[in-house]
Coordinates of all heavy atoms in Angstrom, one line a residue:
P108 N -13.0 -15.9 12.6 CA -12.4 -17.2 12.2 C -11.8 -18.0 13.4 O -12.0 -19.2 13.5 CB -11.4 -16.8 11.2 CG -11.8 -15.5 10.6 CD -12.5 -14.8 11.8
F109 N -11.0 -17.3 14.3 CA -10.4 -17.9 15.4 C -11.5 -18.6 16.3 O -11.3 -19.8 16.6 CB -9.6 -16.9 16.3 CG -9.4 -17.3 17.7 CD1 -8.4 -18.3 17.9 CD2 -10.0 -16.7 18.7 CE1 -8.2 -18.6 19.3 CE2 -9.8 -17.0 20.1 CZ -8.9 -18.0 20.3
R110 N -12.5 -17.9 16.6 CA -13.6 -18.4 17.5 C -14.3 -19.6 16.7 O -14.6 -20.6 17.4 CB -14.6 -17.4 17.8 CG -14.0 -16.4 18.8 CD -14.9 -15.2 19.1 NE -14.2 -14.3 19.9 CZ -14.6 -13.0 20.0 NH1 -15.6 -12.5 19.3 NH2 -13.9 -12.1 20.8
A111 N -14.5 -19.5 15.5 CA -15.2 -20.5 14.7 C -14.4 -21.8 14.6 O -14.8 -22.9 14.9 CB -15.6 -20.0 13.3
M112 N -13.0 -21.6 14.4 CA -12.2 -22.8 14.4 C -12.1 -23.4 15.8 O -12.1 -24.7 15.9 CB -10.8 -22.4 13.9 CG -10.7 -22.2 12.4 SD -9.1 -22.0 11.7 CE -8.7 -20.3 12.2
R113 N -12.0 -22.6 16.8 CA -12.0 -23.2 18.2 C -13.3 -24.0 18.5 O -13.2 -25.0 19.1 CB -11.9 -22.0 19.2 CG -11.7 -22.4 20.6 CD -11.5 -21.2 21.5 NE -12.6 -20.2 21.4 CZ -12.5 -19.0 22.0 NH1 -11.4 -18.6 22.6 NH2 -13.5 -18.1 21.9
A114 N -14.3 -23.5 17.9 CA -15.6 -24.2 18.2 C -15.7 -25.5 17.4 O -16.3 -26.5 17.9 CB -16.8 -23.3 17.9
V115 N -15.3 -25.5 16.2 CA -15.5 -26.7 15.3 C -14.5 -27.8 15.4 O -14.8 -28.9 15.2 CB -15.7 -26.3 13.8 CG1 -14.3 -26.1 13.1 CG2 -16.5 -27.3 13.1
L116 N -13.2 -27.4 15.9 CA -12.2 -28.4 15.9 C -12.5 -29.7 16.7 O -12.2 -30.8 16.3 CB -10.8 -27.7 16.3 CG -10.2 -27.1 15.1 CD1 -9.0 -26.1 15.5 CD2 -9.6 -28.1 14.1
P117 N -13.0 -29.5 17.9 CA -13.3 -30.7 18.8 C -14.3 -31.6 18.0 O -14.1 -32.9 18.1 CB -13.9 -30.1 20.0 CG -13.4 -28.7 20.1 CD -13.3 -28.3 18.7
K118 N -15.2 -31.1 17.3 CA -16.2 -31.9 16.6 C -15.5 -32.6 15.4 O -15.8 -33.8 15.2 CB -17.2 -30.9 16.0 CG -18.7 -31.3 16.1 CD -19.6 -30.3 15.6 CE -21.0 -31.0 15.6 NZ -21.7 -30.8 16.9
M119 N -14.6 -32.0 14.7 CA -13.9 -32.6 13.6 C -13.0 -33.6 14.1 O -12.9 -34.7 13.5 CB -13.2 -31.5 12.7 CG -14.1 -30.6 12.0 SD -13.2 -29.4 10.9 CE -14.6 -28.8 9.9
V120 N -12.3 -33.3 15.2 CA -11.3 -34.3 15.7 C -12.0 -35.5 16.2 O -11.6 -36.6 16.0 CB -10.6 -33.7 16.9 CG1 -9.8 -34.7 17.7 CG2 -9.6 -32.6 16.4
E121 N -13.2 -35.3 16.8 CA -14.0 -36.5 17.2 C -14.4 -37.3 16.1 O -14.4 -38.6 16.2 CB -15.2 -36.0 18.1 CG -15.9 -37.1 18.9 CD -17.2 -36.7 19.5 OE1 -17.4 -35.5 19.7 OE2 -18.0 -37.6 19.7
A122 N -14.8 -36.7 15.0 CA -15.2 -37.4 13.8 C -14.0 -38.0 13.1 O -14.2 -38.9 12.2 CB -16.0 -36.5 12.9
G123 N -12.8 -37.5 13.4 CA -11.6 -38.0 12.7 C -11.5 -37.5 11.2 O -10.6 -38.0 10.5
S124 N -12.3 -36.4 10.9 CA -12.2 -35.8 9.6 C -12.8 -34.5 9.6 O -13.7 -34.1 10.4 CB -12.8 -36.7 8.5 OG -14.2 -36.7 8.7
G125 N -12.4 -33.7 8.6 CA -12.9 -32.3 8.4 C -12.0 -31.5 7.7 O -10.8 -31.8 7.6
T126 N -12.4 -30.4 7.1 CA -11.6 -29.5 6.4 C -12.0 -28.1 6.7 O -13.1 -27.8 6.6 CB -11.4 -29.9 5.0 OG1 -10.6 -28.9 4.3 CG2 -12.7 -30.0 4.2
I127 N -11.0 -27.2 6.9 CA -11.3 -25.8 7.1 C -10.6 -25.0 6.0 O -9.5 -25.3 5.7 CB -10.8 -25.4 8.5 CG1 -11.5 -26.2 9.6 CG2 -11.0 -23.8 8.7 CD1 -10.8 -26.0 11.0
L128 N -11.3 -24.1 5.5 CA -10.7 -23.2 4.5 C -10.9 -21.8 4.9 O -12.0 -21.3 5.1 CB -11.4 -23.4 3.1 CG -10.8 -22.6 1.9 CD1 -9.4 -23.2 1.6 CD2 -11.6 -22.8 0.7
N129 N -9.7 -21.1 5.0 CA -9.8 -19.7 5.4 C -9.6 -18.8 4.2 O -8.6 -18.9 3.5 CB -8.7 -19.4 6.5 CG -9.1 -20.1 7.8 OD1 -10.3 -20.2 8.1 ND2 -8.1 -20.6 8.4
T130 N -10.4 -17.8 4.0 CA -10.2 -16.8 2.9 C -9.3 -15.7 3.4 O -9.7 -14.9 4.2 CB -11.6 -16.2 2.5 OG1 -12.4 -17.2 2.1 CG2 -11.3 -15.3 1.2
C131 N -8.0 -15.9 3.0 CA -7.0 -14.9 3.3 C -7.1 -13.9 2.2 O -8.1 -13.3 1.9 CB -5.6 -15.5 3.4 SG -5.4 -16.4 5.0
S132 N -6.0 -13.6 1.6 CA -5.9 -12.5 0.6 C -4.5 -12.5 0.0 O -3.6 -13.0 0.6 CB -6.3 -11.2 1.2 OG -5.9 -10.1 0.4
A133 N -4.3 -11.9 -1.1 CA -3.0 -11.6 -1.6 C -2.3 -10.8 -0.5 O -1.0 -10.8 -0.4 CB -3.1 -10.7 -2.9
A134 N -3.0 -10.0 0.3 CA -2.4 -9.3 1.4 C -2.0 -10.1 2.6 O -1.4 -9.6 3.5 CB -3.5 -8.2 1.9
A135 N -2.2 -11.4 2.5 CA -1.6 -12.3 3.5 C -0.2 -12.7 3.2 O 0.6 -13.2 4.1 CB -2.4 -13.6 3.6
L136 N 0.2 -12.4 2.0 CA 1.6 -12.9 1.5 C 2.5 -11.7 1.2 O 3.7 -11.9 1.0 CB 1.3 -13.7 0.2 CG 0.6 -15.0 0.4 CD1 0.1 -15.6 -0.9 CD2 1.5 -16.0 1.2
T137 N 1.9 -10.5 1.1 CA 2.8 -9.4 0.7 C 2.3 -8.1 1.5 O 1.2 -8.2 2.1 CB 2.7 -9.0 -0.8 OG1 1.3 -8.9 -1.1 CG2 3.3 -10.1 -1.7
G138 N 3.0 -7.1 1.4 CA 2.7 -5.9 2.2 C 2.0 -4.8 1.4 O 1.5 -3.8 1.9
G139 N 1.9 -5.0 0.0 CA 1.4 -3.9 -0.8 C 0.1 -4.2 -1.5 O -0.1 -3.8 -2.7
R140 N -0.8 -4.9 -0.8 CA -2.1 -5.3 -1.5 C -3.3 -4.7 -0.8 O -4.4 -5.0 -1.3 CB -2.2 -6.8 -1.6 CG -1.1 -7.5 -2.4 CD -1.2 -7.1 -3.9 NE -0.1 -7.7 -4.7 CZ 1.0 -7.1 -5.0 NH1 1.3 -5.9 -4.5 NH2 1.9 -7.8 -5.7
A141 N -3.1 -4.0 0.3 CA -4.2 -3.4 1.0 C -3.7 -2.4 2.0 O -2.5 -2.1 2.0 CB -5.0 -4.5 1.7
G142 N -4.5 -2.0 2.9 CA -4.1 -1.1 4.0 C -3.4 -1.9 5.1 O -3.3 -3.1 5.0
A143 N -2.8 -1.2 6.1 CA -2.0 -1.8 7.1 C -2.8 -2.9 8.0 O -2.3 -4.0 8.2 CB -1.4 -0.7 8.0
V144 N -4.0 -2.5 8.4 CA -4.6 -3.3 9.3 C -5.2 -4.6 8.6 O -5.1 -5.7 9.1 CB -5.8 -2.6 10.0 CG1 -6.5 -3.5 11.0 CG2 -5.3 -1.4 10.7
Y145 N -5.7 -4.4 7.4 CA -6.2 -5.5 6.7 C -5.0 -6.5 6.4 O -5.2 -7.7 6.6 CB -6.8 -5.0 5.4 CG -7.5 -6.1 4.5 CD1 -8.8 -6.5 4.6 CD2 -6.7 -6.8 3.5 CE1 -9.3 -7.5 3.8 CE2 -7.2 -7.7 2.7 CZ -8.5 -8.1 2.8 OH -9.1 -9.1 2.0

Side-chain angles (χ1 to χ4, degrees):
F109 160 70
R110 290 175 186 157
M112 286 191 278
R113 183 173 61 186
V115 81
L116 277 165
K118 227 178 170 82
M119 288 181 169
V120 167
E121 195 187 339
S124 69
T126 177
I127 299 172
L128 184 66
N129 292 324
T130 304
C131 283
S132 167
L136 296 165
T137 54
R140 299 292 179 266
V144 182
Y145 182 89

